[in-house]
Amino acid sequence: MNRNIIQKKNILFGITFKGISIFLNFLVVPILILFLGKIEYGVWITIFSIVNWIFTFDLGIGQGLRNKLTEALSVNDNLKASQIISTSYIFISIFSLVILLIGIGFIYFVNFQDLLNYKGKSNLYLENFVFLSLFFTIVNFTLSLYKNLYLAVHKSFMVELINVFFQTFYLIVILIWLHFNLEKSLINLILIFGVINFIVSVIATFVFFKIQEKVSFSFINFNLKEGRLLFKLGGKFFIINISLLVILSTDNIIISNLLGPSFVTDYFTIQKVFQVLIVVFTVVLSSSWGLYSEALTKKDFNWIKGNLKKMNIYFLGILIFGVFIFYFIEDILNIWIGEDLVIIPKGLAFCNLLYTFIFCFTNIYMFFINASNKINLQMYLYIFGALINIPLSIFLVRLLGSSTGVIMSTLLCFLPLLIIMPIQSNKIIKNLEKESLKK
């Protein structure tokens, strides 16, 4: 297997499909604002930021599956690979059912009018909307395990292709809905979104098992031993994911609660522009994770070091485009959303620029560390960030009187990772090289 050819293929097709995906994403935002209105779009974003927390509640099984499946397939152990897949799906399904039951209980004990600071719809209406959001998210949470299957077999570009298929399907249905002037509401939108996501996930899963005929899902292949190994590694990923959830996914709730839903739309829209760079760079990095796992199995440390250097060179492109976006942010927003529809709080664009640089650079080393399974230090740093994030965000929002305080808090939470992750990566490689020489 030529890792460089596989990587180039994934980067080329991945960026192409991601570019189409970004275009469709930018296209759909003003259409959704038209569909719902600015305030209800803020409600839509906030609720989705809550229910999408569910994607961290897989106890890290998805990421554990990604590593363990790559390792099994690297040594052509198809039986073990099938056991890992089957065990992962069964565990995910059980957790999904548990989370659904807990979520239903939570919904009917919360006053969503107060939580969202929004009185435009009755609490019962908001409860029903949140229930449907939760239900479809749970279903697609289980089915979305297909993404880790494609990543494990070094086909990260397929994840992007499938996403383009979903977005195209979603956009077409929304435009048809608007054309025939059908009822535009939060509940109708979640029904459209959820059903389309379900259809696409089922098709993607079916296609994977058609391509990879030597591995399969079967209840017979459930293996408790593989389950324990997945939990041992996945448990650490789970803690990291929960910590990331607190750091990244509480922003909209804090802003909505302290400043109001319309401020969420401003914050989210500005952040969306800079996230283009994060998304593109993640596509560039995504194939490296599985290739690192395969290289570690075969002790090809020279390739690992060379690839880390290559990713640092690619990062220079993020620096250049990031500065460009920062200087033209107002023009970009005016063209995309419309003039004077989005208000940019002082310092928000600059803080988003810094956050983008820190996140991208840190991920160069994070992907390697994740593939090596040596994630204890990373886990402790994320826990520290999660503990200080919410109180720090609230303090800075109140101090500055704007949503800039939220992104400033996130920056401070990521600073330790920026410094320590490159150092740990070099140490891991040196230690592995020494162990290899001893053998």
Side-chain angles (χ1 to χ4, degrees), residues 327-353:
Y327 277 108
F328 293 98
I329 184 66
E330 290 188 13
D331 296 318
I332 293 169
L333 289 172
N334 287 339
I335 294 169
W336 175 32
I337 302 296
E339 291 189 17
D340 303 322
L341 286 177
V342 174
I343 299 168
I344 307 176
K346 186 177 181 181
L348 182 60
F350 182 69
C351 287
N352 269 285
L353 175 68

Side-chain angles (χ1 to χ4, degrees), residues 161-196:
L161 175 59
I162 293 162
N163 192 43
V164 168
F165 179 57
F166 161 73
Q167 288 178 300
T168 305
F169 195 178
Y170 179 47
L171 183 60
I172 290 169
V173 174
I174 292 292
L175 290 173
I176 291 171
W177 202 275
L178 289 169
H179 177 73
F180 287 101
N181 199 27
L182 301 174
E183 184 186 357
K184 298 181 283 292
S185 67
L186 286 165
I187 287 178
N188 283 339
L189 187 59
I190 187 57
L191 288 171
I192 295 167
F193 182 88
V195 170
I196 292 173

Side-chain angles (χ1 to χ4, degrees), residues 239-240 242-248 250 379-391 413:
I239 294 171
I240 290 171
I242 290 292
S243 300
L244 266 172
L245 171 71
V246 173
I247 295 170
L248 299 179
T250 54
M379 180 178 69
Y380 297 136
L381 291 173
Y382 273 122
I383 291 171
F384 172 74
L387 289 173
I388 68 170
N389 178 256
I390 293 177
C413 291

